[in-house]
Amino acid sequence: MNAPPAGSAAPFLVCAFAVTRNPPDLATSAAATGHEEGGPLRVLRAGDLCLVVQDVPAALFDEEALAERLNRPDDLERCARAHHRGVEAAARRGPVVPLPMATLYRGDRSAEQAVAAREAVLDALLDRLRGRTEWAVKVHATDGAVNAAATGAPADSGTGAGARGRAYLSRVSARRRDRQDAHGRALAEADAVDAELRRYVVDATRHRPQSERLTGRRAPQLINAAYLVEDAESAAFKHALARLIADGRHTAVEVSASGPWIPYSFARWDEAPDATEPSRTEPHPTAPERTPPHRTEQHPLKQEARS
């Protein structure tokens, strides 16, 4: 985000949460809140579209201050959840296009112009997302598979130094083969889970698997996926998911899921003409791409601003 000239900075920025066609009734809902530090949520009109926004203090949300806050995990989590509350408020009367977290504008006019410049893209997205939700599915290798791969081959029975050396190399080689075999089995089963779920969905995407530091598990995460599910197919998708989790067919992986969510992973509005592209910071290494609570661990931040 480009900073305004020294001495002319506005005290507030406009933080945008989501675009919709049907303006939500924010005044009658005490639960319609965004960032704690900002004012009440409000609606801007941009042609036939509406933008749910909030005035936030520039001292806390300019590029430097925001980068510092988002380096702190607790503040990152609070910002992500505040953004999600704003998106949920926008979604009360129909489909929404959630914007990336920390989408910031100089004022109402620049926010309205940005939406108007992308009206065709946003209209198409709203049509595509109507009557559809997102499910998040994570597939990990099982702890049993990891433990099995970690056990080495038995030592050779030789007693000399040469025999002991050969036994050691044999164990190392066997352990490496076991790890490769176990990882290969787990990957194949994870791909089978993904292929089965894709039979019931409109679209699917894979995010970067989370690290052990984020998952808190020793077993690696193999798939971190999002599925766009038609409401009419929701029951079939959930049945397939429950079967994959419970039936024990896949012994090398564990499947977990959450949903339904607003379809953040499928709301891409950055296909606008180059002439209207915002200036951006580079993605922050610890912040989220999209901001539903189920994804705040791994998504890179996008900041957008217009002068």
Side-chain angles (χ1 to χ4, degrees):
M1 183 175 66
N2 294 327
S8 64
F12 293 98
L13 297 171
V14 175
C15 181
F17 297 97
V19 174
T20 181
R21 291 194 182 103
N22 304 308
D25 184 3
L26 301 174
T28 61
S29 175
T33 61
H35 295 281
E36 298 170 359
E37 307 89 346
L41 297 184
R42 54 194 181 89
V43 176
L44 300 179
R45 287 279 190 175
D48 292 331
L49 300 179
C50 301
L51 181 63
V52 173
V53 303
Q54 179 187 32
D55 294 325
V56 294
L60 293 176
F61 284 82
D62 67 14
E63 184 174 9
E64 184 177 350
L66 196 59
E68 181 180 344
R69 292 170 64 206
L70 295 180
N71 263 321
R72 299 191 289 265
D74 289 347
D75 282 346
L76 169 61
E77 181 71 13
R78 277 193 292 272
C79 284
R81 292 189 178 276
H83 183 77
H84 184 59
R85 289 194 298 269
V87 174
E88 283 188 315
R92 286 176 183 164
R93 294 188 58 202
V96 297
V97 175
L99 305 184
M101 190 174 75
T103 299
L104 299 164
Y105 299 93
R106 302 290 183 179
D108 289 359
R109 185 181 177 193
S110 57
E112 291 161 356
Q113 288 174 336
V115 171
R118 293 166 169 78
E119 188 168 3
V121 173
L122 291 165
D123 263 328
L125 275 173
L126 287 166
D127 286 341
R128 182 170 186 260
L129 299 178
R130 184 190 297 114
R132 294 168 175 173
T133 55
E134 175 176 330
W135 283 78
V137 176
K138 295 175 172 60
V139 182
H140 287 81
T142 62
D143 291 333
V146 172
N147 292 335
T151 59
D156 290 348
S157 57
T159 57
R164 287 195 299 271
R166 289 190 296 274
Y168 171 77
L169 293 175
S170 177
R171 289 196 301 274
V172 169
S173 179
R175 190 176 295 119
R176 184 182 301 114
R177 287 194 303 272
D178 288 343
R179 281 197 300 267
Q180 291 171 344
D181 290 347
H183 188 66
R185 285 194 300 273
L187 282 176
E189 291 190 7
D191 285 339
V193 167
D194 180 53
E196 174 67 13
L197 292 176
R198 285 175 185 257
R199 295 174 53 200
Y200 303 93
V201 306
V202 176
D203 198 2
T205 186
R206 288 193 186 186
H207 301 291
R208 183 175 62 247
Q210 297 169 288
S211 67
E212 180 181 328
R213 178 180 65 84
L214 292 174
T215 65
R217 298 184 55 163
R218 179 169 170 243
Q221 187 176 95
L222 305 174
I223 288 181
N224 180 17
Y227 300 92
L228 185 63
V229 182
E230 193 89 42
D231 287 351
E233 291 295 320
S234 179
F237 177 83
K238 286 188 284 187
H239 180 72
L241 191 56
R243 188 172 65 247
L244 287 168
I245 291 172
D247 70 1
R249 279 186 299 158
H250 302 294
T251 59
V253 297
E254 294 177 358
V255 182
S256 61
S258 63
W261 299 99
I262 293 168
Y264 286 80
S265 298
F266 304 93
R268 305 287 182 181
W269 79 317
D270 51 1
E271 301 147 22
D274 292 342
T276 60
E277 277 297 298
S279 58
R280 297 182 182 177
T281 62
E282 288 301 310
H284 193 280
T286 61
E289 280 173 13
R290 301 291 181 216
T291 55
H294 71 285
R295 293 210 179 277
T296 56
E297 319 89 341
Q298 88 275 0
H299 286 271
L301 167 73
K302 283 186 180 178
Q303 282 181 254
E304 301 188 1
R306 294 163 181 81
S307 43

